[in-house]
Amino acid sequence: MNQNKLFQQTRLRLALWYALVMAVILSLCGIGVYKAVSHAHWMTLDQEIESVAGTLHDSIELKLQQPGQLEPVIKTLLPNICVVGTRCISEPVNSERHTLSAIHQDHYYVRFFDNYGNLFATAGTYPKGLSPEFNRELWQTLKDNKGKVYHQISLTLHTQNNRDWGYIQVGRSIEDFNSYLDAVKLTLVLGSPIVISLVGLASWWLARLAMQPIYKSYRQIQQFTADAAHELRTPLAATQATVESALLMSQLDELEARETLQTLHRQNQRLTNLVTDLLLLSRLDSQPVPMRREICCLDDIINDLIEEFAALAIATNITLKSLILISTPVNIIANQDQLYRSISNLIINAIQYTSSGGKVIVALDRSDSYVVIQIQDTGIGIPQSELSHIFDRFYRVHSDRSRSTGGSGLGLAIAQAIVLAHHGSIDVQSELGQGSIFTLKLPCKN
């Protein structure tokens, strides 16, 4: 229960950190997007105003003759021009009568200043609350008395004989521009919590996926510890019981003492074998590539194993034979002792689970890239639901931990670890009541 709580807390912290980091990244991206959109629109706005102002400037400058005087022909370009201090000229706007139709849009205005910076004429949709003070800066952003924002450009005007005439300012309201940016900002502000919430849900799901291998590994360690403790406890309990029985006797004759020592020796040997297997698995886990490798002849290894287990096969009334499917010797680069141990574990496993009168066949073949070793038996077989677990450490198909076949449940795990350390593969095919086939594939010698 405590472990589950620990993993849930770890998952929550992982999800929160992930959501926090993503929130910071998304916030920075949102700010960057807003800055990029704003910059792009300011650039577009400047280009638009500069284009309109440049066209108007060039058109008017060709018609100016005296400094500070507007020629009547300018009225054709700016029909609604209004001279400060005089009656404003107001004519209906006809887009066919002039070329600068942009000036007559609701958000554009034009201002004329003389050489002394005095405002003396306006045109377009001129905001009356705008300050009449002249500013020589090329670009200005200013507000009227109602708080509305305008953006304008200032250009110098000359007469036809290149005398200074004054200045022209062309500007426009940027309310539509600010409204668009406000909409973008609002979208980002309102969208961020929704996106961050979705990221939070995704991070909780991703944290579960990330924690699954760790949780599985932790459960395997727990199971391994429990199984190892069980396996170690059995011979230790038998040893303790034997010693206690001997101590309760007033005296031991030579025969009883020898039997007691033989029992202790068997249990000690069982403990030694178990610890040796555990150390071998630990070494294979930490050092996946065998330390010492040499050229190994698989034909010789298989023949030696058939000879070694012949007596065991005869004692259990099982036919044990080899089947070499190729005529030339098969050599690979491997650790011979480990390879010998791996194949022997599979042969012992096949003999133990094959009933009297059955067969165990060890076949050797090769393809272009791999050497194939098959250990086939006619034993009890393995249920399909158990096939994915048979290489787990201390795992037994029968949960009652029967000792009828002996062993510690590490044989197949060791066989797989050795094959994987040699960059090979091992798999099993089995049918309940019909037998099993274990197939080893090892890379050929280059």
Side-chain angles (χ1 to χ4, degrees):
M1 188 68 180
N2 292 333
Q3 289 83 0
N4 289 335
K5 183 177 180 181
L6 175 62
F7 276 99
Q8 288 297 326
Q9 290 176 348
T10 304
R11 178 186 177 186
L12 179 61
R13 286 196 296 268
L14 184 61
L16 289 176
W17 274 110
Y18 180 82
L20 178 61
V21 171
M22 289 302 298
V24 172
I25 293 175
L26 290 174
S27 298
L28 293 176
C29 289
I31 294 173
V33 168
Y34 178 78
K35 294 291 186 182
V37 171
S38 177
H39 177 73
H41 276 71
W42 273 108
M43 293 292 294
T44 303
L45 180 65
D46 286 350
Q47 291 175 359
E48 178 187 320
I49 295 175
E50 187 174 13
S51 175
V52 173
T55 303
L56 183 60
H57 172 274
D58 294 343
S59 301
I60 292 176
E61 198 172 50
L62 294 175
K63 300 174 174 58
L64 298 176
Q65 297 180 3
Q66 297 297 325
Q69 292 185 8
L70 290 172
E71 304 301 326
V73 70
I74 296 177
K75 298 175 185 177
T76 61
L77 298 175
L78 301 170
N80 61 347
I81 190 169
C82 180
V83 178
V84 176
T86 63
R87 186 174 60 87
C88 294
I89 303 171
S90 179
E91 297 183 10
V93 177
N94 185 350
S95 60
E96 296 179 355
R97 293 180 55 189
H98 57 83
T99 58
L100 297 172
S101 59
I103 295 298
H104 304 284
Q105 297 177 6
D106 291 340
H107 42 256
Y108 264 99
Y109 66 87
V110 181
R111 298 199 296 179
F112 293 93
F113 293 83
D114 60 21
N115 287 322
Y116 302 100
N118 299 314
L119 177 66
F120 71 89
T122 62
T125 308
Y126 179 68
K128 296 182 180 180
L130 208 60
S131 173
E133 295 182 3
F134 177 69
N135 191 329
R136 291 179 178 271
E137 291 183 10
L138 180 63
W139 290 101
Q140 302 123 48
T141 301
L142 54 161
K143 295 182 179 180
D144 62 12
N145 55 8
K146 296 181 179 179
K148 294 183 179 180
V149 184
Y150 300 86
H151 194 55
Q152 68 181 20
I153 187 173
S154 298
L155 301 175
T156 303
L157 287 172
H158 300 87
T159 62
Q160 293 177 350
N161 54 5
N162 205 27
R163 288 185 297 170
D164 291 339
W165 184 91
Y167 304 92
I168 182 175
Q169 289 183 340
V170 179
R172 59 160 289 178
S173 170
I174 57 173
E175 284 190 29
D176 57 336
F177 171 76
N178 287 336
S179 297
Y180 175 80
L181 289 183
D182 289 341
V184 172
K185 187 186 299 183
L186 183 62
T187 301
L188 293 174
V189 171
L190 295 180
S192 295
I194 298 175
V195 173
I196 292 174
S197 299
L198 294 176
V199 168
L201 294 176
S203 64
W204 178 253
W205 179 72
L206 290 174
R208 182 178 69 86
L209 292 182
M211 292 294 295
Q212 277 183 347
I214 301 174
Y215 185 74
K216 182 180 179 181
S217 177
Y218 180 78
R219 296 294 298 172
Q220 287 176 342
I221 292 173
Q222 279 188 319
Q223 186 64 43
F224 176 80
T225 303
D227 291 338
H230 178 89
E231 295 296 336
L232 291 170
R233 183 177 60 187
T234 301
L236 286 173
T239 300
Q240 184 178 359
T242 301
V243 172
E244 289 176 351
S245 297
L247 290 175
L248 290 175
M249 296 181 182
S250 57
Q251 61 181 12
L252 293 175
D253 57 28
E254 183 179 350
L255 179 59
E256 290 174 334
R258 180 171 293 277
E259 288 179 351
T260 299
L261 290 175
Q262 287 176 346
T263 301
L264 292 175
H265 176 72
R266 285 196 303 272
Q267 299 303 327
N268 182 70
Q269 187 62 43
R270 185 175 175 183
L271 278 172
T272 301
N273 292 337
L274 179 59
V275 172
T276 301
D277 289 346
L278 291 174
L279 289 175
L280 175 59
L281 284 171
S282 177
R283 187 166 63 251
L284 290 171
D285 287 342
S286 60
Q287 184 66 42
V289 180
M291 294 296 293
R292 180 175 58 85
R293 294 188 296 173
E294 57 190 354
I295 298 177
C296 304
C297 180
L298 291 179
D299 304 63
D300 295 341
I301 291 177
I302 291 176
N303 290 330
D304 290 346
L305 287 170
I306 295 296
E307 183 179 349
E308 178 180 344
F309 294 113
L312 177 61
I314 292 172
T316 53
N317 192 27
I318 293 173
T319 301
L320 174 64
K321 65 179 182 179
S322 62
L323 183 61
I324 311 299
L325 300 177
I326 48 180
S327 57
T328 57
V330 179
N331 295 322
I332 65 170
I333 297 178
N335 184 297
Q336 183 165 326
D337 294 336
Q338 290 185 3
L339 203 58
Y340 194 93
R341 175 71 183 279
S342 177
I343 300 174
S344 67
N345 283 0
L346 294 174
I347 294 176
I348 292 173
N349 189 72
I351 293 174
Q352 288 177 340
Y353 288 96
T354 300
S355 303
S356 178
K359 295 181 181 179
V360 175
I361 299 175
V362 182
L364 175 63
D365 198 359
R366 70 176 298 170
S367 63
D368 294 337
S369 304
Y370 289 93
V371 173
V372 181
I373 302 172
Q374 284 190 335
I375 295 89
Q376 180 176 0
D377 64 65
T378 57
I380 60 176
I382 305 170
Q384 294 296 316
S385 60
E386 308 285 346
L387 287 178
S388 60
H389 300 289
I390 61 171
F391 293 108
D392 294 347
R393 298 171 187 184
F394 296 112
Y395 185 82
R396 292 186 179 88
V397 174
H398 301 289
S399 59
D400 59 357
R401 293 182 174 271
S402 172
R403 289 294 184 270
S404 61
T405 59
S408 62
L410 293 175
L412 292 180
I414 291 175
Q416 184 190 51
I418 291 173
V419 171
L420 294 178
H422 285 79
H423 306 292
S425 64
I426 180 172
D427 60 68
V428 58
Q429 295 175 328
S430 185
E431 186 175 348
L432 199 61
Q434 300 296 320
S436 305
I437 301 176
F438 285 82
T439 303
L440 282 70
K441 290 184 179 180
L442 298 168
C444 294
K445 173 188 173 184
N446 294 329

